[in-house]
Amino acid sequence: DTGVSQDPRHKITKRGQNVTFRCDPISEHNRLYWYRQTLGQGPEFLTYFQNEAQLEKSRLLSDRFSAERPKGSFSTLEIQRTEQGDSAMYLCASSLVEGNNGYTFGSGTRLTVV
Amino acid sequence: GQQVMQIPQYQHVQEGEDFTTYCNSSTTLSNIQWYKQRPGGHPVFLIQLVKSGEVKKQKRLTFQFGEAKKNSSLHITATQTTDVGTYFCARGAGGYQKVTFGIGTKLQVIP
């Protein structure tokens, strides 16, 4: 499979627990993005990386959220002290910097905070 | 970045009818992208428009970018049940911009 992979597909956690999601982008893609999507809404930008550098983080993102891309390949998104409002689909996407900048999305991780 | 506005939010059409969704911005867009998300799926990139007045076709889908680069449209001719899903326009991408999605137009096709 040469697409974008996300793990896990589903996560149910209790409020206050920490969760971590993983994304493996398309290997040739140097940009990696995290988005969040709730029902009936478009994907909302969270953060993105070019290689291992985190270039932008949404101002709407609380400091409970942190993302890393340590070797410029896979990325992790951690949410600390989860809240019910964090329940959403977390989407990862990757793209090339140059040329056609269309994003390839993974299937997402659906987080439910109970 | 500023959002793009999409209309309508919902559209039900009889199979075989045409469908159009519109995307508008208050500021000039460097480019516009279109994505399709099937129910329960993830967004899939359809196309990117860059040039003023650009028109691109993909089979029954026609994409247009306005002359002023402030609006775009997606037109589907003779809809089929496989066209069901939510169609998003998205601004940005390129340079250090990231893509910012609109709210989408949810299309339902009645067989």
Side-chain angles (χ1 to χ4, degrees), chain B residues 43-73:
Chain B
V44 173
F45 175 72
L46 295 176
I47 207 159
Q48 175 169 283
L49 304 173
V50 179
K51 298 177 183 175
S52 166
E54 190 169 17
V55 178
K56 287 189 176 180
K57 291 191 175 184
Q58 290 179 352
K59 297 182 180 178
R60 294 178 295 104
L61 277 60
T62 301
F63 303 84
Q64 290 190 311
F65 202 8
E67 293 289 343
K69 298 182 74 172
K70 287 187 175 182
N71 56 74
S72 181
S73 65

Side-chain angles (χ1 to χ4, degrees), chain B residues 3-111:
Chain B
Q3 271 208 330
V4 286
M5 305 302 295
Q6 268 188 270
I7 52 170
Q9 269 193 268
Y10 303 94
Q11 184 80 58
H12 291 78
V13 299
Q14 204 73 36
E15 188 173 16
E17 291 182 339
D18 292 356
F19 159 76
T20 304
T21 174
Y22 300 91
C23 182
N24 298 296
S25 170
S26 57
T27 57
T28 303
L29 302 164
S30 57
N31 59 68
I32 193 89
Q33 296 184 355
W34 286 92
Y35 292 77
K36 176 184 178 181
Q37 186 171 23
R38 293 182 186 272
H42 55 274
V44 173
F45 175 72
L46 295 176
I47 207 159
Q48 175 169 283
L49 304 173
V50 179
K51 298 177 183 175
S52 166
E54 190 169 17
V55 178
K56 287 189 176 180
K57 291 191 175 184
Q58 290 179 352
K59 297 182 180 178
R60 294 178 295 104
L61 277 60
T62 301
F63 303 84
Q64 290 190 311
F65 202 8
E67 293 289 343
K69 298 182 74 172
K70 287 187 175 182
N71 56 74
S72 181
S73 65
L74 159 59
H75 179 82
I76 303 178
T77 304
T79 53
Q80 300 175 358
T81 54
T82 52
D83 296 325
V84 164
T86 301
Y87 292 85
F88 294 98
C89 67
R91 68 173 299 149
Y96 287 96
Q97 290 181 302
K98 79 281 185 183
V99 165
T100 302
F101 287 80
I103 198 167
T105 295
K106 187 173 182 178
L107 172 65
Q108 187 61 256
V109 178
I110 304 162

Side-chain angles (χ1 to χ4, degrees), chain A residues 55-68:
Chain A
L55 295 188
E56 188 174 345
K57 186 174 174 180
S58 170
R59 285 171 289 177
L60 301 174
L61 208 58
S62 115
D63 56 10
R64 296 183 297 105
F65 288 69
S66 62
E68 292 183 341

Side-chain angles (χ1 to χ4, degrees), chain A residues 7-99:
Chain A
D7 184 67
R9 292 292 303 273
H10 304 274
K11 178 71 178 179
I12 300 173
T13 191
K14 290 185 178 179
R15 190 176 49 177
Q17 298 293 306
N18 299 343
V19 293
T20 300
F21 310 141
R22 177 180 170 122
C23 173
D24 287 88
I26 292 173
S27 57
E28 310 87 72
H29 287 181
N30 41 19
R31 284 207 175 158
L32 184 149
Y33 310 82
W34 285 99
Y35 282 77
R36 176 172 62 190
Q37 187 175 28
T38 53
L39 197 63
Q41 301 295 314
E44 174 193 23
F45 171 77
L46 296 180
T47 188
Y48 86 96
F49 295 83
Q50 181 162 317
N51 301 315
E52 65 275 9
Q54 187 173 18
L55 295 188
E56 188 174 345
K57 186 174 174 180
S58 170
R59 285 171 289 177
L60 301 174
L61 208 58
S62 115
D63 56 10
R64 296 183 297 105
F65 288 69
S66 62
E68 292 183 341
R69 194 183 183 196
K71 296 181 181 178
S73 57
F74 74 91
S75 175
T76 58
L77 176 69
E78 182 183 17
I79 309 173
Q80 296 182 326
R81 305 180 303 280
T82 52
E83 301 172 357
Q84 286 189 320
D86 298 331
S87 295
M89 176 71 84
Y90 289 83
L91 293 164
C92 176
S94 67
S95 76
L96 292 168
V97 174
E98 298 299 330

